[in-house]
Amino acid sequence: MIFQSRMRMARIRIDQLSLRCGGDFRPGSARVLTRAAIVLVLLLPASRALAQNAPVSPDHPWHGLGEARIEADARNFTEPKLNFDPEKTYSLPELINLAESDNPETRVAWERARAQAAAWGVARSELYPTVAAAALSGVDRGQVYLGDRFFRQTIADFQVALNLNYTIFDFGVRAGRINAAKAEALAANFAFNDTHRNVIYRVEQAYYQLLNASGQEEAARANLSNAQAVQQAAEERLKNGLATLPDVLEARSATAQAEYELQAVLGAEEIAHGNLANALGTIPQTAIRVQPLRELTIPNAIDDSVNSAMDRALAQRPDLLQRVADVQAAKAKVKEARAAYYPSLNFTATPTAQSLYGLQQQFPWGQTAGLTGSMAFSLNWTVFDGRARKNRLAQAEANVHEAEAQIHVSRDQIANEVWAAYSDLNTALRQREAATALLEAADRSYDAALESYNYGLRNLLDVTAAQRILAQARSTDVLARTQVLTTLAALAFRAGDSIQSNAMKPRP
């Protein structure tokens, strides 16, 4: 029934078309149109089926046409993998170089900077004239009425035209656009540098997180070894009748606790490996060997003052320099908006080389050729625009004030970040000294407690308490050492030293 109704509608449209054309159809035309209508009727449902539709309801996931194609493209899209040597031990500078070369974030920022540089080139092109060329050819045939007869006339036309446009002066409109595009290109370059700064800091954070996890693993294994030694001593004393079963059970409990803590540390180390791989721009399961914490030198003091670090940050932080470039771009747009109050003078020239061929019935071919065209100067001056120029100028000036105020906000924020990073580094250095003293004291206390226990002068509770304090001291010492390195990297990040070619890398 639906197909028959569609066919009736198609026949009605054919009849209407026939009436509009005066009913003058050649034989077979109706059949051709009927077949075309049938094809059109059959294609209508298919076109509706191929159309993309929104989800039919909010309570179910969408599955529709094109989903399989997108999923296939997603599976076929492969990311480049970094080639790591599983036998090589990588230092922090080597990892930073790999991240700067292969992290996709630096590629994104680089392409944005290139696009903005191209936009600056587009703005500068307005200083030059534009020339367009066109080649036209055509044949015109018609009937010309002359006397009491119609004569057929054929005219062939071929022409090549140039169109030249040039703005002679515009009182600074183009200059404003060019300066704004130049400042925006500089801002994009500073944003590119800031991307490198953030990538470097992320690698440093992940690197020191991995060092802390690896150090915690060593400490946890040492704690487990100590717990096993205490358990063995308790069991030996039990065999000799010098200890009680609760003492042995307490020792076994301490060993199980040390094993549990070791497994937790191993899980944290796996996560740290994945975080470092992610910071480098590769897949988390990539095996990367890094220098152990015991091979790194930990600084004992700061060679720089907080005022010097603040001065460097306010002079070289790329995000602050980007704000300054934004101010320059806003000022250039003010110049462009102010120039709209003045006229602009334009020059246009359209030289055209034309060749005409003509043929009239009962006459031979005729031909003519020549150079035609036009040249004009135009002075354009907007007299009234409903205060649009005034509002655009006010908007541009407000953007300048906003950008300048944002610089003050950024300077205050940067100074506070440097101050906090400097304070954190001082705190980490003091904690490092305290952790070293704590570890030394805890180690001696544990050795003395275990020796006294073996001689029967101390009970097992004293030994296990000394063991727990030693375990905590080992963990604290590892954390304190990595915290010094982390806060040192944070200070370099806040001061903008990490991307300066003449600046020292964060000391390992």
Side-chain angles (χ1 to χ4, degrees), residues 129-135 160-165 349-352:
T130 60
V131 179
V160 177
L162 296 177
N163 187 1
L164 185 145
N165 291 285
T350 56
T352 303

Side-chain angles (χ1 to χ4, degrees), residues 423-435:
S423 299
D424 289 341
L425 179 55
N426 278 323
T427 302
L429 290 172
R430 293 192 297 267
Q431 288 179 335
R432 164 64 178 149
E433 295 178 0

Side-chain angles (χ1 to χ4, degrees), residues 346-370:
N346 300 312
F347 171 73
T348 303
T350 56
T352 303
Q354 187 178 37
S355 179
L356 296 175
Y357 297 87
L359 176 64
Q360 288 186 341
Q361 191 175 356
Q362 299 178 352
F363 291 96
W365 279 94
Q367 189 268 339
T368 183

Side-chain angles (χ1 to χ4, degrees), residues 16-77:
Q16 292 175 350
L17 180 62
S18 176
L19 292 175
R20 291 176 183 175
C21 296
D24 186 12
F25 282 95
R26 294 189 300 272
S29 298
R31 290 193 300 272
V32 173
L33 290 177
T34 302
R35 292 172 183 173
I38 294 174
V39 173
L40 179 62
V41 169
L42 294 177
L43 288 179
L44 282 175
S47 64
R48 292 193 183 97
L50 294 175
Q52 192 61 264
N53 295 324
V56 295
S57 64
D59 54 347
H60 293 289
W62 171 85
H63 298 286
L65 296 173
E67 181 182 12
R69 175 67 179 273
I70 296 299
E71 291 177 351
D73 292 342
R75 287 191 298 268
N76 295 331
F77 185 81

